[in-house]
Amino acid sequence: MNNRKLITSEAVTEGHPDKICDQISDAILDAILKDDTDARVACETSATTGMILVMGEITTSTYVDIQSIVRKTVKDIGYDRGKYGFDADNLGVLVAIDPQSPDIAQGVDKKDKNQLGAGDQGVMIGYATNETDEYMPLPHLLAQKLARRLSVVRKDKTLSYLRPDGKTQITVEYDENDLPLRIHSVVLSSQHAPNIKQSTIHEDIKKHVIEPILPKELIDDKTRYYINPTGKFVIGGPHGDSGLTGRKIVIDSYGSQARHGGGAFSGKDPSKVDRSAAYMARYAAKNLVAAGVADKLEIQLSYAIGVTEPISVGVDTFNTGKMTNDELITLIRELFDFRPRAIIDHLDLERPIYRQTAAYGHFGRNDLDLPWERLDMVDTIKNHLSSK
């Protein structure tokens, strides 16, 4: 019996309308954290043709120029001229910001900072697998790398006719032992200038984007390519589709191979466990897999607003664990502190490090120095296990 299966994951470029919004929200958060590490930020952004709306709840002792941050972020992405349909210098920027609700604040902010309560209820997931050096699922890792490569060849003028919006999708075929066999198909759509032949786009994308990224040993003569499959992608970005912060939560995390608790990351200060606890769960899962506790590991945390300790800790090793789930949960609780203040302190999260995560994924980013991606607990885990 053939037990092979296909697993697909997608990603988007920094010029996708939802990703524009994520980057603006995190750029505003970073600007605030530079001067006020105690700020409470829940910043949402919406984008459409010719307009950006920044909204949400922010309580801070500092001032930031939101108009300037919005325009600089949009320009950095590459929407810097009117013919792209979205132009940093000719945007309407609307700001609708209120302070954080005192009802929320009284549950989160405590006199003893070590008793910081969770900023909301919810479920957070951390995942790691040893199928790649980045401890990420292969389809999602490749989809994100392709998306990032699209922006590289656009910005360095290798393919100067490309424009900022784009999407990628990779399908990988796995064998009965969950090992990747081959790349089944590649889907890639990139916004481009008008009057460019589709044959040119196909040839250039395959040569300059796909071939430098995808492992040659996983490509065969049956691998299928769908490059700009509609035949034309000139109108893109917020001119082609509206955007909203937090609408790409699965792309931000692990793709289709892990569960998702439902909370978005961008625009939220680290008192929001949607962000900080998800980072800590990834940190724990990655270090545990690297220590050989399991080949795949998913950690599930849950919180109640205003409560310091997580309500629950759950695990799934997908039958790859070297110990029972009960033993693993005991190990996790002994070595990792999931209280909000402990997470913030251990990962040093009250810093302006978030804009860089708002495109191309929050996890598996070996191109960035992200504290939740460090493997600095592996020896501690091994020593703890050997001492028992």
Side-chain angles (χ1 to χ4, degrees):
M1 179 180 292
N2 187 347
N3 288 319
R4 296 180 180 181
K5 60 184 178 182
L6 301 177
I7 296 178
T8 302
S9 199
E10 70 162 342
V12 297
T13 67
E14 64 201 72
H16 185 281
D18 293 331
K19 276 290 139 203
I20 293 172
C21 295
D22 285 341
Q23 290 168 90
I24 290 171
S25 292
D26 271 340
I28 292 168
L29 171 63
D30 278 357
I32 292 170
L33 288 177
K34 283 180 182 178
D35 294 323
D36 181 10
T37 58
D38 293 326
R40 293 293 175 256
V41 181
C43 181
E44 311 284 349
T45 303
S46 180
T48 189
T49 303
M51 189 184 80
I52 294 285
L53 169 62
V54 178
M55 54 193 166
E57 296 78 44
I58 298 176
T59 298
T60 180
S61 60
T62 192
Y63 168 80
V64 297
D65 187 344
I66 290 177
Q67 289 264 348
S68 295
I69 293 170
V70 169
R71 296 185 194 282
K72 183 180 185 306
T73 304
V74 172
K75 184 171 289 188
D76 289 346
I77 291 167
Y79 285 112
D80 55 3
R81 57 197 70 187
K83 67 180 182 179
Y84 289 179
F86 197 68
D87 177 8
D89 292 327
N90 295 288
L91 287 175
V93 180
L94 306 179
V95 180
I97 297 292
D98 291 313
Q100 183 186 56
S101 162
D103 295 345
I104 295 174
Q106 70 177 353
V108 176
D109 296 326
K110 307 288 179 67
K111 290 182 179 179
D112 181 356
K113 291 186 72 172
N114 290 322
Q115 296 303 311
L116 178 76
D120 202 352
Q121 69 176 51
V123 180
M124 295 84 216
I125 300 293
Y127 179 81
T129 171
N130 61 11
E131 71 178 58
T132 64
D133 292 341
E134 293 85 351
Y135 294 90
M136 289 290 287
L138 180 64
H140 198 58
L141 184 70
L142 294 178
Q144 292 282 24
K145 286 186 174 183
L146 281 180
R148 192 159 75 241
R149 179 68 182 170
L150 266 178
S151 287
V152 168
V153 299
R154 168 177 62 88
K155 290 181 173 181
D156 70 10
K157 307 299 183 184
T158 299
L159 300 180
S160 59
Y161 59 80
L162 294 184
R163 291 180 177 175
D165 199 358
K167 302 182 80 171
T168 65
Q169 184 173 287
I170 294 287
T171 300
V172 175
E173 183 176 340
Y174 285 77
D175 67 13
E176 60 274 10
N177 296 314
D178 284 340
L179 297 175
L181 285 175
R182 56 184 292 272
I183 293 173
H184 173 274
S185 54
V186 181
V187 182
L188 190 151
S189 297
S190 181
Q191 186 186 13
H192 58 85
N195 304 318
I196 305 296
K197 292 182 179 180
Q198 286 301 305
S199 58
T200 300
I201 295 174
H202 277 240
E203 182 180 339
D204 285 348
I205 291 292
K206 201 167 180 185
K207 178 180 178 181
H208 295 289
V209 178
I210 294 174
E211 290 178 359
I213 295 299
L214 299 188
K216 292 179 175 57
E217 66 273 14
L218 295 180
I219 301 289
D220 59 27
D221 57 3
K222 294 183 180 179
T223 300
R224 292 179 279 180
Y225 299 90
Y226 303 88
I227 300 172
N228 280 18
T230 66
K232 183 180 180 182
F233 187 4
V234 173
I235 300 173
H239 184 45
D241 193 8
S242 61
L244 185 65
T245 297
R247 203 156 56 180
K248 289 290 178 281
I249 57 176
V250 174
I251 287 175
D252 280 345
S253 49
Y254 309 101
S256 61
Q257 281 170 275
R259 299 172 182 88
H260 198 291
F265 301 149
S266 290
K268 297 178 181 178
D269 74 82
S271 74
K272 278 72 172 173
V273 284
D274 277 344
R275 180 167 223 160
S276 55
Y279 289 167
M280 191 65 175
R282 160 65 177 177
Y283 173 73
K286 184 177 180 180
N287 276 271
L288 287 160
V289 170
V293 170
D295 296 330
K296 300 178 184 179
L297 176 60
E298 183 181 88
I299 297 176
Q300 180 188 102
L301 306 174
S302 70
Y303 289 84
I305 187 169
V307 178
T308 302
E309 296 282 350
I311 301 303
S312 66
V313 178
V315 298
D316 189 345
T317 65
F318 309 93
N319 298 316
T320 70
K322 309 304 189 289
M323 54 203 309
T324 69
N325 283 359
D326 285 345
E327 291 171 335
L328 184 51
I329 290 173
T330 298
L331 175 67
I332 290 169
R333 286 188 174 276
E334 288 176 349
L335 294 183
F336 298 94
D337 191 340
F338 294 110
R339 294 175 300 162
R341 172 47 57 185
I343 293 172
I344 291 168
D345 291 344
H346 187 85
L347 298 180
D348 194 12
L349 295 181
E350 292 177 329
R351 297 180 291 141
I353 59 173
Y354 298 107
R355 159 74 196 279
Q356 62 186 340
T357 68
Y360 311 119
H362 295 245
F363 308 121
R365 296 293 301 276
N366 286 356
D367 58 312
L368 303 175
D369 180 19
L370 301 175
W372 53 89
E373 290 297 308
R374 295 173 187 163
L375 291 173
D376 54 7
M377 284 289 290
V378 174
D379 290 341
T380 300
I381 294 167
K382 289 180 178 180
N383 292 336
H384 187 83
L385 291 173
S386 65
S387 67
K388 287 188 173 293

